Amino acid sequence: MYRMKTYAIASIFYFLLLLPATSVPAVTDSLPSWNDGPSRQAITAFVQAVTDKSSPDYVPPSGRIAVFDNDGTLWSEQPAYFQLFFAMDRVREMAKDHPEWKHQQPFQAALEGDMKALAASGKEGLIELVMTTHAGMTTDEFAEIVKKWLQTAKHPTLHKPYTQLVFKPMLELLDYLRANGFKTFIVSGGGIEFMRPWTEEVYGIPPEQVVGSSIVTKFEMRDGKPVLIREAKLNFIDDKAGKPVGINQHIGRRPIFAFGNSDGDLQMLQYTTLAGGGKRFAGIVHHTDGDREFDYDRDSHMGRLDKALTEAEVHDWTVVDMKMEWKVIYP
Amino acid sequence: MYRMKTYAIASIFYFLLLLPATSVPAVTDSLPSWNDGPSRQAITAFVQAVTDKSSPDYVPPSGRIAVFDNDGTLWSEQPAYFQLFFAMDRVREMAKDHPEWKHQQPFQAALEGDMKALAASGKEGLIELVMTTHAGMTTDEFAEIVKKWLQTAKHPTLHKPYTQLVFKPMLELLDYLRANGFKTFIVSGGGIEFMRPWTEEVYGIPPEQVVGSSIVTKFEMRDGKPVLIREAKLNFIDDKAGKPVGINQHIGRRPIFAFGNSDGDLQMLQYTTLAGGGKRFAGIVHHTDGDREFDYDRDSHMGRLDKALTEAEVHDWTVVDMKMEWKVIYP
């Protein structure tokens, strides 16, 4: 009798133990692609401090807001932002209805894959390229175009689908933060509607937690159906000083954790860490691995990391040495 | 032996049963302030259909997006939007530094509580009033001003704190939806930063799930601290055709459930229900209770409900007869 009772109670306790065991993150196994270097240590120390109820740095779950840049922080951005390759592929697809593009910039450059000529078309050329390829359809239609593109498109030099060029260590970091009660957001200079069709599947970040640049949309009844038309007009640029503005507009509170990789993220890192009180974390992905990914910082034409690298030293921000600290780059 | 074993297994099963019992909402007890009328029946039938995995109308939790107007839908809006009373109280507080306001419209009208003169100052007068009282400080400072105001301010005729003038049946509805896996958002013509300081406490809706009108903010380093300055410039009006635009900008997907109370919500209700496929719900709070709250619709100067009421008949939207269907109005 006694033995059975013990067994019964033990069974119940064992069952009780099983439940929390699956939801409490095992810290030592949470970031397997990170070497046990200074960045990993800084991240886990921060997360432990703000999630430990007995810690003076404890932050309740509602305040655990983490923001991530996308290009160069969650996926690669060389030799050009992937959204530019999307625009160029769109030009190729649309070209059959525009024979004049063969001799007209910036379209000719896009058709020929001539990055130099494209750059030479300047800011106006790029805006024309983006507006031509990103506007003039409904938001639902655009989301479908992006999804279809991702299913077939491949990176021009790495020859892989773009969604496979995301950083495995950063996917683990997103999971680790969420397992610790953080709400994770993307705050990117990229197009908000270019990212939303795939961020949930690839990063586990739903559309409403994606902040980005946008063009104007307009409500319209089309054949009795309510739609939003994408217009060829800039609405908001979510870059540099625009990032804190976008964060405030969409999230409405100051994050306590931010990760970027370039000077475009400087103000977001400042906004997150230099005010608001309590413990705060700023991280920078430093592209030091020319063999496995790319190697660039202060002189890069894209994802340039100069002022933010200098300021990281002043404020003791965490700079991730990709080559030294990441066991693998891509999944 | 056999009996003990049975007991042990039964204990475990009983324990298993206890767990889901607390998370599955008891539908009959979830909306106690609603009479068992057509609106309550329509709401519960919709929620049961989209949450039942065996139903052809099943929607996975990630798609359960519910949007609510605020003024007149979640709290009262008569004899004027509460944010206008906030602006008028601000004018009174700021007046000591502006002796000239005694003889200068729209400030004189605000100081004297003269709603007719205020209305006579027109749209420009109102915008001047809002900009003077809502801009020129940091976003953090503005949030503090709003919080302090709510602690002491009282409605001019009902003599209650504004946060007590929220609708109890709607608070229950928000809870009921969240208990059924919905994510609840506010989509209001009111100021986004006027609502965010209190929506989490009052409605259980966190800042990042509040969409509203906004003025321009600008990033700045002030004494080495990163702040956002509120500028006297309109950024976005989240009303009428602006509501679907705001929904797309902030949420990035089409809601399946929307509640409003006026023509300002018409496009939001259309956008939610007339496209996207599957089962969808549109609700309208109809202010029919002049005794307990206010009585107004087609001819009202504020919260006018005319076209949307007509369209509700065409599309069989749920129109809540406040007087008949709500047992209580305020908590």
Side-chain angles (χ1 to χ4, degrees):
Chain A
M1 276 289 275
Y2 179 75
R3 279 186 67 206
M4 272 318 292
K5 211 168 191 168
T6 309
Y7 173 75
I9 291 166
S11 293
I12 293 167
F13 270 77
Y14 179 69
F15 181 76
L16 277 168
L17 284 169
L18 270 179
L19 282 179
T22 55
S23 66
V24 170
V27 173
T28 42
D29 292 320
S30 290
L31 301 169
S33 302
W34 294 70
N35 285 317
D36 192 21
S39 296
R40 184 185 155 144
Q41 284 163 17
I43 290 166
T44 54
F46 174 82
V47 170
Q48 279 164 15
V50 299
T51 55
D52 175 1
K53 276 195 179 170
S54 66
S55 156
D57 301 312
Y58 178 73
V59 176
S62 68
R64 295 183 204 157
I65 304 289
V67 289
F68 289 82
D69 169 58
N70 185 41
D71 297 309
T73 301
L74 295 181
W75 71 356
S76 293
E77 61 180 351
Q78 298 288 357
Y81 299 132
F82 295 174
Q83 194 170 355
L84 185 60
F85 293 130
F86 165 74
M88 290 166 72
D89 287 346
R90 283 279 295 152
V91 166
R92 274 175 214 119
E93 208 176 306
M94 295 166 75
K96 57 182 182 293
D97 299 323
H98 298 273
E100 73 280 10
W101 284 356
K102 275 182 197 152
H103 312 288
Q104 188 187 329
Q105 295 298 11
F107 305 105
Q108 186 185 342
L111 288 171
E112 295 170 358
D114 183 347
M115 303 302 284
K116 264 194 182 162
L118 201 56
S121 73
K123 197 179 157 188
E124 283 103 55
L126 281 177
I127 288 179
E128 192 182 354
L129 193 75
V130 169
M131 291 306 175
T132 306
T133 52
H134 287 62
M137 69 292 278
T138 70
T139 51
D140 290 341
E141 286 162 355
F142 185 71
E144 281 309 307
I145 290 169
V146 173
K147 276 186 212 165
K148 268 191 192 161
W149 177 75
L150 281 176
Q151 281 164 14
T152 55
K154 290 200 172 157
H155 188 279
T157 61
L158 301 173
H159 310 294
K160 279 186 179 180
Y162 291 99
T163 50
Q164 287 180 23
L165 299 176
V166 297
F167 303 136
K168 189 162 187 282
M170 296 305 280
L171 297 181
E172 292 168 4
L173 176 55
L174 289 169
D175 281 338
Y176 171 66
L177 289 172
R178 288 190 290 254
N180 280 287
F182 280 77
K183 209 162 176 175
T184 52
F185 291 81
I186 288 174
V187 179
S188 167
I192 193 167
E193 301 208 48
F194 173 73
M195 295 182 282
R196 280 173 165 168
W198 54 272
T199 54
E200 186 149 32
E201 197 183 320
V202 175
Y203 300 135
I205 296 179
E208 62 269 24
Q209 285 161 226
V210 177
V211 184
S213 298
S214 58
I215 61 176
V216 170
T217 63
K218 200 181 154 201
F219 178 81
E220 214 172 78
M221 293 297 287
R222 195 171 263 196
D223 306 324
K225 294 280 176 201
V227 295
L228 290 167
I229 306 293
R230 290 170 57 81
E231 300 198 323
K233 209 166 123 187
L234 276 176
N235 176 55
F236 178 65
I237 300 288
D238 190 53
D239 198 30
K240 300 192 173 72
K243 289 208 174 189
V245 172
I247 287 170
N248 183 60
Q249 182 71 15
H250 285 257
I251 308 176
R253 44 187 160 189
R254 208 181 280 261
I256 62 168
F257 186 104
F259 234 106
N261 81 300
S262 78
D263 285 0
D265 303 311
L266 174 59
Q267 289 85 348
M268 174 170 85
L269 299 175
Q270 290 173 325
Y271 186 68
T272 300
T273 57
L274 305 185
K279 217 174 169 69
R280 272 132 201 289
F281 182 94
I284 291 175
V285 174
H286 192 188
H287 295 262
T288 50
D289 197 329
D291 292 329
R292 294 185 302 170
E293 203 241 2
F294 300 95
D295 184 356
Y296 59 100
D297 50 38
R298 297 192 192 268
D299 298 318
S300 177
H301 68 295
M302 218 154 273
R304 177 188 166 101
L305 176 63
D306 181 26
K307 283 183 203 168
L309 199 54
T310 304
E311 199 145 333
E313 286 167 31
V314 177
H315 301 299
D316 201 21
W317 292 342
T318 296
V319 179
V320 179
D321 184 331
M322 197 182 236
K323 188 173 183 170
M324 299 297 292
E325 302 200 74
W326 284 1
K327 289 181 194 163
V328 295
I329 307 285
Y330 301 126
Chain B
M1 280 287 277
Y2 179 75
R3 280 185 66 207
M4 272 317 295
K5 210 167 190 171
T6 308
Y7 173 74
I9 292 165
S11 293
I12 294 166
F13 269 78
Y14 179 69
F15 181 75
L16 277 168
L17 284 169
L18 271 180
L19 281 181
T22 55
S23 67
V24 169
V27 172
T28 41
D29 292 320
S30 291
L31 301 168
S33 302
W34 294 70
N35 284 317
D36 192 21
S39 295
R40 183 185 156 142
Q41 284 163 17
I43 291 166
T44 54
F46 174 82
V47 170
Q48 278 163 17
V50 299
T51 56
D52 175 0
K53 277 195 178 170
S54 67
S55 156
D57 301 311
Y58 177 73
V59 176
S62 68
R64 294 182 205 159
I65 304 289
V67 291
F68 290 82
D69 169 57
N70 184 42
D71 298 310
T73 300
L74 296 181
W75 71 356
S76 293
E77 61 180 350
Q78 298 289 356
Y81 298 130
F82 295 174
Q83 194 171 355
L84 186 59
F85 294 129
F86 165 73
M88 290 167 71
D89 287 346
R90 283 278 295 152
V91 166
R92 274 176 213 117
E93 207 177 307
M94 294 166 75
K96 57 181 184 294
D97 299 323
H98 298 274
E100 73 281 10
W101 283 358
K102 275 181 195 151
H103 313 287
Q104 187 186 329
Q105 295 296 13
F107 305 104
Q108 185 185 344
L111 288 171
E112 295 170 359
D114 184 346
M115 303 303 284
K116 263 193 182 163
L118 201 56
S121 74
K123 196 180 158 189
E124 282 104 53
L126 281 178
I127 287 178
E128 192 181 355
L129 193 74
V130 169
M131 291 306 174
T132 306
T133 53
H134 287 61
M137 70 291 279
T138 70
T139 52
D140 290 341
E141 285 161 358
F142 185 72
E144 281 310 307
I145 290 168
V146 172
K147 276 188 210 164
K148 269 191 192 161
W149 176 76
L150 282 176
Q151 280 164 13
T152 55
K154 290 198 171 158
H155 188 278
T157 61
L158 301 173
H159 310 294
K160 277 186 181 181
Y162 291 99
T163 49
Q164 287 181 24
L165 299 175
V166 297
F167 303 137
K168 189 161 186 286
M170 296 305 280
L171 297 182
E172 292 168 5
L173 176 55
L174 289 169
D175 280 339
Y176 171 67
L177 289 172
R178 287 189 291 252
N180 280 286
F182 280 77
K183 208 161 177 177
T184 53
F185 291 81
I186 288 174
V187 178
S188 167
I192 193 167
E193 300 209 48
F194 174 72
M195 297 182 281
R196 281 174 165 167
W198 52 272
T199 54
E200 185 149 32
E201 196 183 321
V202 175
Y203 299 136
I205 296 179
E208 63 269 25
Q209 284 161 227
V210 177
V211 184
S213 298
S214 58
I215 60 176
V216 169
T217 63
K218 201 182 154 199
F219 178 81
E220 214 172 78
M221 293 297 287
R222 195 171 264 194
D223 305 325
K225 296 279 177 203
V227 295
L228 290 167
I229 306 293
R230 290 171 57 81
E231 300 198 322
K233 209 166 124 187
L234 276 175
N235 176 56
F236 179 65
I237 300 289
D238 189 53
D239 198 31
K240 300 192 173 71
K243 288 208 175 192
V245 172
I247 287 169
N248 183 61
Q249 182 70 15
H250 285 258
I251 308 177
R253 43 188 160 189
R254 208 181 280 262
I256 63 167
F257 186 104
F259 234 106
N261 80 301
S262 79
D263 286 359
D265 304 311
L266 175 58
Q267 290 85 348
M268 174 170 84
L269 299 175
Q270 291 173 325
Y271 185 68
T272 300
T273 58
L274 304 184
K279 217 174 170 68
R280 272 132 200 290
F281 182 95
I284 291 176
V285 174
H286 191 189
H287 294 262
T288 51
D289 197 329
D291 293 329
R292 293 185 300 170
E293 203 241 1
F294 301 96
D295 185 354
Y296 60 98
D297 48 38
R298 295 192 192 267
D299 298 319
S300 177
H301 66 295
M302 218 155 272
R304 178 187 166 101
L305 175 64
D306 181 27
K307 283 183 202 169
L309 199 54
T310 304
E311 198 145 333
E313 287 167 30
V314 178
H315 301 299
D316 202 22
W317 292 342
T318 295
V319 179
V320 180
D321 185 330
M322 197 182 236
K323 187 173 184 169
M324 301 297 292
E325 302 200 74
W326 284 0
K327 290 180 191 164
V328 294
I329 307 286
Y330 300 125

